[in-house]
């Protein structure tokens, strides 16, 4: 087969459906090559417009140690000084992102690796110093996202893959929370698509009983959520994720799903395994 034929066979027709899946994966997938391989194979089978956002995992910490760059965290959040922003730009925007893109190409998904700086898609503002100076960390306003550029990619059947990096418009890359990027993209693209935002989680979904992995709540609306909170049935650590999910829905996102990466295919259907928030 010629190179031209091979490229032709791997290109996709533009999607005609209004459905868009925005899917975020974290370090538990990025740091596990076998889990990442399985996830990307499933991701490639989704025959609809889709965007992938990946976190950084432990790769930056490992390579930073090799380079003599010490990781510094406060309340679980990385302090991003001058050396660290260079490190995470290299690792997140380069090594991790391009490996994912190459694997997706091998699976027949025509992907493009991006940061928020590319095509000015995700401008951000450096987080102001209050009690803690987080350094080169960015906060995103969904109203500033260049959603029309992403729409062009998706119309052509090209799948964007975002590293958790944005920029401040003054020449600086900013380390940015991947969950926040995913939610902001979902809000911005709701102008064009029916969006289901999927957070791949270490559990099967939101559990009614944190000690029972089988107690997944399949569908969660706001009244039921308030009831569960009043009854103190939910693990406190999951509450911010659910609050953020409802904030995204209030801003125009159709649905948010929290579930296990291994259930990705079912979680793009109405017969979901995880927790569908609407």
């Amino acid at each position: 087969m010629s190179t031209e034929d091979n490229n032709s066979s791997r290109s996709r027709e533009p999607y005609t459906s209004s459905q868009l899946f925005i899917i975020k994966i974290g370090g538990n997938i990025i740091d596990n090559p076998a889990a990442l391989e399985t996830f990307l194979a499933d991701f490639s089978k989704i025959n609809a417009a889709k965007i992938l956002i990946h976190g950084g995992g432990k790769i930056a910490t490992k390579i930073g140690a090799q380079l003599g760059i010490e990781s510094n965290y406060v309340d679980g959040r990385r302090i991003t000084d001058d050396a660290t922003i260079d490190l995470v730009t290299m690792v997140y925007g380069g090594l991790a992102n391009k490996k994912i893109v190459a694997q997706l190409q091998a699976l027949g998904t025509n992907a493009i690796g991006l940061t928020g700086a590319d095509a000015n898609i995700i401008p951000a503002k450096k987080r102001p110093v209050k009690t803690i100076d987080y350094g080169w960390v960015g906060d995103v306003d969904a109203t500033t996202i260049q959603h029309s550029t992403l729409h062009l990619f998706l119309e052509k059947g090209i799948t964007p893959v975002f590293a958790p990096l944005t920029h401040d418009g003054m020449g600086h890359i900013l380390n940015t929370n991947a969950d926040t990027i995913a939610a902001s993209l979902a809000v911005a693209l709701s102008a064009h698509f029916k969006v289901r935002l999927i957070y791949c989680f270490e559990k099967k979904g939101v559990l009614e009983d944190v000690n029972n992995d089988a107690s997944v709540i399949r569908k969660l609306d706001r009244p039921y959520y308030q009831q569960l909170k009043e009854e103190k049935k939910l693990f406190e650590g999951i509450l911010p994720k659910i609050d953020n999910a409802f904030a995204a829905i209030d801003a125009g996102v159709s649905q948010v799903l929290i579930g296990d990466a291994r259930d990705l295919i079912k979680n793009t259907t109405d017969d979901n395994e995880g927790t569908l928030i609407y």
Side-chain angles (χ1 to χ4, degrees):
M1 181 183 288
S2 70
T3 302
E4 183 177 352
D5 289 339
N6 185 51
N7 288 339
S8 174
S9 69
R10 292 170 63 255
S11 64
R12 287 190 180 274
E13 293 298 317
Y15 296 113
T16 57
S17 169
S18 62
Q19 178 72 62
L20 170 64
F21 295 103
I22 295 182
I23 300 166
K24 185 262 174 180
I25 54 171
N28 60 322
I29 301 297
I30 295 293
D31 295 331
N32 184 329
L36 179 61
E37 183 179 355
T38 298
F39 169 83
L40 293 176
D42 287 342
F43 181 83
S44 292
K45 294 172 186 173
I46 299 171
N47 188 27
K50 55 199 174 189
I51 296 174
L52 179 62
I53 301 94
H54 63 84
K58 298 175 182 175
I59 307 171
T61 300
K62 179 180 177 182
I63 293 178
Q66 294 170 354
L67 298 174
I69 300 171
E70 185 178 348
S71 295
N72 185 13
Y73 292 87
V74 175
D75 297 330
R77 296 182 180 182
R78 185 189 289 272
I79 302 295
T80 308
D81 59 14
D82 290 348
T84 302
I85 193 60
D86 287 347
L87 172 67
V88 298
T89 301
M90 175 177 68
V91 176
Y92 299 168
L95 180 63
N97 186 265
K98 299 313 174 189
K99 278 190 170 183
I100 289 171
V101 169
Q103 286 180 264
L104 287 173
Q105 296 292 0
L107 291 163
T109 291
N110 192 10
I112 182 168
L114 298 167
T115 71
D118 296 297
N120 192 32
I121 291 174
I122 313 177
K125 291 184 178 179
K126 186 174 180 289
R127 183 169 298 168
V129 177
K130 295 180 182 177
T131 56
I132 299 168
D133 183 356
Y134 285 100
W136 297 110
V137 169
D139 293 322
V140 179
D141 177 354
T143 64
T144 67
I145 288 177
Q146 303 298 310
H147 54 83
S148 58
T149 303
L150 284 173
H151 194 215
L152 290 174
F153 282 133
L154 295 167
E155 278 189 322
K156 297 294 185 181
I158 299 171
T159 297
V161 178
F162 277 95
L165 301 166
T166 56
H167 78 121
D168 66 358
M170 295 180 286
H172 300 116
I173 292 288
L174 299 172
N175 190 12
T176 305
N177 181 272
D179 282 0
T180 300
I181 289 177
S184 299
L185 288 172
V187 169
L189 285 160
S190 293
H192 296 286
F193 296 92
K194 177 183 176 183
V195 177
R196 178 180 287 192
L197 170 60
I198 299 177
Y199 288 114
C200 293
F201 188 47
E202 57 267 22
K203 298 285 187 181
K204 299 284 284 185
V206 177
L207 304 179
E208 189 168 358
D209 177 358
V210 71
N211 297 311
N212 180 3
D213 285 347
S215 65
V216 176
I217 299 165
R218 300 288 183 212
K219 298 186 186 298
L220 183 63
D221 60 12
R222 201 181 297 272
Y224 188 31
Y225 177 44
Q226 292 301 328
Q227 176 189 331
L228 291 170
K229 280 207 298 184
E230 288 168 9
E231 294 172 355
K232 299 188 183 304
K233 287 189 172 181
L234 297 175
F235 174 58
E236 285 190 4
I238 195 66
L239 299 183
K241 277 189 180 293
I242 301 174
D243 288 336
N244 289 338
F246 280 118
I249 289 166
D250 289 342
V253 178
S254 297
Q255 300 168 331
V256 181
L257 190 140
I258 299 173
D260 193 320
R262 292 170 295 185
D263 297 325
L264 181 63
I265 296 298
K266 288 204 74 174
N267 284 339
T268 61
T269 71
D270 292 331
D271 185 26
N272 58 281
E273 287 287 339
T275 300
L276 186 65
I277 300 170
Y278 59 99

